[in-house]
Amino acid sequence: MSSELVATAAWRRWGCVVVGALTLVIGSAQMAMAQVRPDSARRDSVRLALPIPPRDSAAAEPDSVMQARILARSDSMRQLMLADTIKTPVARFEMPSASLDISETLRFDRNQILSSSALNLTDLLDRVPGVTTFRSGWLAGIHAATYNGDARRIRYFVDGIEIDGVDPRGGGATDLVAVPLWTLDELVIERGAGEIRVWMRTLAATRTTPYSRVDVFTGDLNTNAFRGFVARRWRNGLMFQAGGQQVATQSGRVSVIDGNTGGRLRSDGSVQLFLTRLGWARGKWSIDAYGQGGSRDRDRHIARDTTVFSNLPKYKGAHREGYVRVGYGDTLEGFWSQAMVQSLRVKIEPDSFVAVLDANGVALPRPDTIAARTQQVVAVGYRTNRWAVSLTDRIRPLNGVTLHAPVARGSAQWRAFSLGGWVERSGPDSTDRTEAVAQFRPNSWFVVNAAYASRTPGDSTGRIASTSMRAEAAIRYKDLWLRGGVLRDDAVRFANLELLTLPSLLIEAPAAQGILIGARGRLYKDLRFDVQSLRWNTGQFQRPPSSVRAELGVNSEWRRRFPKGEFGINARISYEMRDGVPFFYGVRGEEEALDIRVTEKAQVATAHLEIRIQKATLFYQYRNLSGGQYEQIPGITMPPAVQMYGMRWEFWN
């Protein structure tokens, strides 16, 4: 019995020791956890392995079930490792500051571009006061724009590279059909006092999940179109993109016997475009190569009265362009720098030209059918939340001479004040430009904006120095912004719009002043309204005396009914009115009378409807609701009412 008592006492002592040790460990852990802040504690930072009692052999799961469970767990871990991530973007060229424009409707991200009802860039430029657009037909027709009558006062930049008007037909103007909107990720229209600058940034993939998009639409005038786009980023930073489109229109009726088209030809044709991008980005460094090529053919357009007006010739040509870019940093914050080399080549068939006359009616020599140009861009800058500054040099080798066009720009914000400046020397048209803009926003319901610009062309251009000024103010009443302003231009001398087969010469315009009024905002819930009117005190070639544009629309995702955002509706109707636009066709007859032709007054209403279900968007558009005839080029009648409908579908997989 004594031995049993000794053993029992020993077991009690060891039990006390074990219980005391466990109590000490648990108490220490509790004290340590009490001294750690809850927001700094790591979840599951300490794991305890608890013994699991062996299961009954009869209840043990078969080997096949266990293997399937292990494989499923492995697959879930693999999917977690390959989950979608956002990679460092390739270099992005700087965009103008959002605080320096009184209008917030001239900045578009990718979704806003696609849902804007714009078929090309001319539709977006219609929203800019002072800009006049010209079209010869539907999708394949001529599309051009001027600012206060001068096409060269609208400049286009894609990824920081300026689009040079090298088309032999254009005389320096750009046919905007060659600027596709569906390839863009962001677009900003910068309103200067003396010119308009359109900044476009192409889409660059940032997510490792493959992305693809398909656009298909059809409609009147035998309109048929298809677009496709794919993009992919890999975890090592590599990127690949490719896309293409085919658009074709044809009015009238086509004979199945001889293929002849009945009715009047109205700039029908087809447009093809293909693009690709290869790149790599990691950390602050990136390199990418972008290229696109396309072709376009257009039927001739017969004027409504050939005894008075001129026909537009047919067109067939192709273009190739591309660039290589190396970048460091991001233009959204901190220090950044970029270097680019771009090449552009345009080829036009010989029968696409029309005889161009000078002021005396003498035919000028036909230009070359092939035009090419290269451009190098070197840029450096720094951006903070309060200010930004950049230096850019665009280098163009031309006729054996290297031309430099340095640009310095800056912007700053301090309390209610915002300032911006642009200084350029020896631009692409041998013109020095200086521009300044200031804005004062003391509160949330009032803002005033003023801008000044000067242009000094080179002596060899034949133009004259001039200045421009703009002053605007806006006040908010409830949910509406009421806006008014004054635009003023000195006497100017600019080139005729040769792209519309006008004679190659310089035309003069007197000093002019325009009055701008407008309103925009929310009328009721998701119902929004935007209207603006501009009237000039003097007439000028290639600019209407007055114009009005209004838009009424609903754009909503109805989050109360669809909280996950899987549904959206975008319905709008727009109305545009412009007075007759005068064009100068030189002199005619022995008396040398001025040949001035004026377009008819135009009124066009357009309806647009989009319904989005998850990633698929159905759209319908009806242009020229009244069906009446109108023209934007003298004697060149635009198509009557045109309907178009189709679908956009995005895929992430």
Side-chain angles (χ1 to χ4, degrees), residues 507-548:
I507 53 181
E508 295 187 3
Q513 180 173 294
I515 302 298
L516 172 67
I517 58 173
R520 63 175 175 84
R522 185 172 62 181
L523 293 179
Y524 177 75
K525 291 186 177 180
D526 294 322
L527 182 64
R528 294 185 173 273
F529 180 65
D530 190 349
V531 61
Q532 63 183 19
S533 174
L534 178 61
R535 184 173 183 83
W536 296 92
N537 62 345
T538 60
Q540 182 173 309
F541 292 116
Q542 301 169 183
R543 186 189 70 190
S546 63
S547 61
V548 176

Side-chain angles (χ1 to χ4, degrees), residues 355-429:
V356 178
L357 308 179
D358 61 13
N360 299 319
V362 179
L364 296 175
R366 178 174 292 180
D368 295 334
T369 58
I370 298 178
R373 182 174 297 183
T374 61
Q375 184 178 157
Q376 295 90 45
V377 179
V378 179
V380 62
Y382 194 89
R383 178 182 291 271
T384 68
N385 294 332
R386 294 288 185 178
W387 58 271
V389 63
S390 67
L391 299 173
T392 304
D393 188 14
R394 294 182 173 86
I395 308 166
R396 298 175 173 89
L398 187 62
N399 298 327
V401 179
T402 301
L403 304 178
H404 290 261
V407 178
R409 76 175 304 162
S411 61
Q413 292 180 261
W414 181 73
R415 295 185 179 179
F417 296 93
S418 299
L419 302 174
W422 171 285
V423 179
E424 182 179 18
R425 293 295 174 259
S426 302
D429 55 354

Side-chain angles (χ1 to χ4, degrees), residues 146-468:
T146 64
Y147 180 64
N148 289 349
D150 190 353
R152 296 192 179 185
R153 290 173 67 178
I154 303 181
R155 304 170 65 185
Y156 310 94
F157 301 83
V158 178
D159 292 333
I161 299 174
E162 184 168 7
I163 300 178
D164 291 332
V166 300
D167 191 331
R169 305 167 304 137
T174 301
D175 193 338
L176 299 181
V177 175
V179 185
L181 291 181
W182 62 275
T183 65
L184 303 180
D185 188 51
E186 185 178 4
L187 186 147
V188 178
I189 301 177
E190 183 182 13
R191 294 177 59 222
E195 65 181 16
I196 303 296
R197 292 181 289 271
V198 183
W199 299 92
M200 293 166 279
R201 181 182 290 163
T202 56
L203 177 63
T206 58
R207 295 171 59 175
T208 56
T209 299
Y211 168 79
S212 58
R213 192 180 117 229
V214 175
D215 301 353
V216 180
F217 58 90
T218 185
D220 294 337
L221 304 182
N222 291 323
T223 300
N224 292 285
F226 173 83
R227 297 188 185 115
F229 183 84
V230 294
R232 175 70 189 271
R233 285 292 294 271
W234 283 269
R235 300 179 68 86
N236 59 6
L238 289 177
M239 174 181 60
F240 171 76
Q241 296 177 189
Q245 79 162 6
Q246 164 69 33
V247 179
T249 66
Q250 184 175 344
S251 61
R253 296 181 178 179
V254 181
S255 171
V256 297
I257 299 176
D258 55 11
N260 292 329
T261 303
R264 185 164 57 210
L265 300 176
R266 293 181 173 178
S267 298
D268 298 309
S270 61
V271 181
Q272 298 84 29
L273 179 69
F274 301 94
L275 63 90
T276 185
R277 185 199 296 271
L278 296 173
W280 171 87
R282 176 171 292 183
K284 293 188 176 183
W285 288 97
S286 70
I287 180 172
D288 65 314
Y290 178 85
Q292 72 176 31
S295 61
R296 175 183 169 200
D297 65 90
R298 185 189 70 242
D299 299 332
R300 65 173 181 150
H301 197 134
I302 301 177
R304 55 185 170 88
D305 187 350
T306 56
T307 62
V308 179
F309 303 104
S310 303
N311 300 330
L312 291 180
K314 66 179 182 179
Y315 172 83
K316 186 175 183 180
H319 74 279
R320 304 286 186 272
E321 61 181 301
Y323 67 79
V324 177
R325 171 175 56 185
V326 178
Y328 175 82
D330 193 347
T331 56
L332 300 180
E333 183 180 7
F335 174 80
W336 61 269
S337 62
Q338 296 179 20
M340 290 169 277
V341 178
Q342 181 247 16
S343 177
L344 171 65
R345 183 179 184 270
V346 176
K347 180 182 180 180
I348 300 177
E349 297 296 329
D351 55 359
S352 301
F353 292 93
V354 67
V356 178
L357 308 179
D358 61 13
N360 299 319
V362 179
L364 296 175
R366 178 174 292 180
D368 295 334
T369 58
I370 298 178
R373 182 174 297 183
T374 61
Q375 184 178 157
Q376 295 90 45
V377 179
V378 179
V380 62
Y382 194 89
R383 178 182 291 271
T384 68
N385 294 332
R386 294 288 185 178
W387 58 271
V389 63
S390 67
L391 299 173
T392 304
D393 188 14
R394 294 182 173 86
I395 308 166
R396 298 175 173 89
L398 187 62
N399 298 327
V401 179
T402 301
L403 304 178
H404 290 261
V407 178
R409 76 175 304 162
S411 61
Q413 292 180 261
W414 181 73
R415 295 185 179 179
F417 296 93
S418 299
L419 302 174
W422 171 285
V423 179
E424 182 179 18
R425 293 295 174 259
S426 302
D429 55 354
S430 302
T431 301
D432 294 343
R433 296 173 173 86
T434 302
E435 190 169 289
V437 59
Q439 186 176 103
F440 178 60
R441 189 187 292 266
N443 47 51
S444 61
W445 53 267
F446 178 75
V447 58
V448 61
N449 182 292
Y452 171 86
S454 66
R455 299 176 301 281
T456 307
D459 296 336
S460 60
T461 63
R463 304 188 180 199
I464 58 176
S466 60
T467 61
S468 302

